[in-house]
Amino acid sequence: RGNLNPLPLAVSPLSIDEKTQKDFEKLLQKKNIGEEISSVVENNLRTSGLFNPLSKDAFLQAPDIANLKPRFEDWNLIKAQALITGKVININNKLRVEFKLWDVLAGKQMMALAFTTVPTNWRRVGHIISDKVYERLTGEKGYFDTRIIYVAEEGPKTKRIKKLAIMDQDGANNKFLTLGNELVLTPRFNPTSQM
């Protein structure tokens, strides 16, 4: 029989130095972008139903130390079977996110990747990390970096305004693609993903 219990894993906040934190706080209006990205990863994995992210209150190791070399006995103590660590760096006003996936039981690193992008793409980086972790632990392709296009309606029943909108799979980054002055019922898309 297969295991039906969600895999307990720990998503450590991404470590960030003080200067980088201040730079991104000014730019993005987020207090700690490392915590924000790890929160996106944690929420994505939780909503899949296959993972049980553990409470950060139980973590015994600080994020900056855990990223360098986790003390696997500490993570084993709180029953984590996998651990995600990483760090955020500001390189020439670009956001660089490095993350590692660890097998706590074996005490080995399973994956290490880095992404560099414009700072405003921080949520997308969280979704991509979620996809990579999901794929490595389940063997199936992740779906967290998916976007949903839908028809939004507003106004009274007699004068409905319909707009084409797009959002991340978790409901964030909602943007309208049309103004509502054209007919939008059944949008069609180009196979190259261009509209």
Side-chain angles (χ1 to χ4, degrees):
R1 292 177 72 186
N3 181 9
L4 302 174
N5 296 328
L7 179 81
L9 70 105
V11 182
S12 177
L14 303 182
S15 70
I16 186 169
D17 64 70
E18 203 171 309
K19 183 188 179 316
T20 301
Q21 184 174 339
K22 284 186 176 147
D23 291 344
F24 287 137
E25 186 175 349
K26 264 189 260 172
L27 187 65
L28 300 170
Q29 310 300 309
K30 299 285 180 192
K31 186 158 177 58
N32 185 330
I33 199 65
E35 286 180 5
E36 296 284 342
I37 293 171
S38 67
S39 178
V40 168
V41 173
E42 186 176 329
N43 290 335
N44 283 341
L45 295 173
R46 179 181 292 110
T47 59
S48 75
L50 299 175
F51 303 98
N52 178 23
L54 301 171
S55 170
K56 288 181 178 29
D57 296 339
F59 294 1
L60 301 172
Q61 201 171 19
D64 50 342
I65 306 297
N67 181 51
L68 296 174
K69 180 68 175 140
R71 279 192 316 267
F72 294 110
E73 54 275 7
D74 289 353
W75 298 102
N76 221 338
L77 195 63
I78 63 169
K79 306 278 190 265
Q81 291 182 21
L83 168 66
I84 299 169
T85 64
K87 66 180 176 178
V88 177
I89 310 163
N90 182 352
I91 300 178
N92 300 327
N93 293 326
K94 295 270 193 212
L95 173 71
R96 180 173 172 86
V97 179
E98 300 173 1
F99 89 97
K100 297 174 186 167
L101 174 64
W102 304 87
D103 181 338
V104 174
L105 301 176
K108 291 183 181 173
Q109 180 178 299
M110 297 173 72
M111 179 190 334
L113 291 171
F115 304 100
T116 304
T117 185
V118 293
T120 52
N121 272 350
W122 67 271
R123 282 190 65 81
R124 181 135 194 242
V125 170
H127 292 316
I128 293 170
I129 291 171
S130 304
D131 281 346
K132 297 296 182 188
V133 169
Y134 184 89
E135 190 170 347
R136 181 65 176 91
L137 294 176
T138 67
E140 296 175 13
K141 195 154 176 58
Y143 57 87
F144 304 108
D145 190 32
T146 303
R147 306 198 63 205
I148 298 167
I149 296 183
Y150 64 98
V151 176
E153 292 186 29
E154 60 184 24
K157 287 185 180 184
T158 56
K159 285 190 154 192
R160 289 302 246 185
I161 297 173
K162 295 183 181 191
K163 298 178 187 177
L164 198 58
I166 189 167
M167 68 179 176
D168 292 351
Q169 57 81 28
D170 60 356
N173 289 334
N174 193 36
K175 293 182 184 110
F176 291 106
L177 303 175
T178 60
L179 301 173
N181 52 4
E182 54 276 305
L183 185 62
V184 178
L185 295 175
T186 54
R188 289 183 195 36
F189 298 93
N190 184 323
T192 61
S193 301
Q194 301 299 312
M195 292 194 280

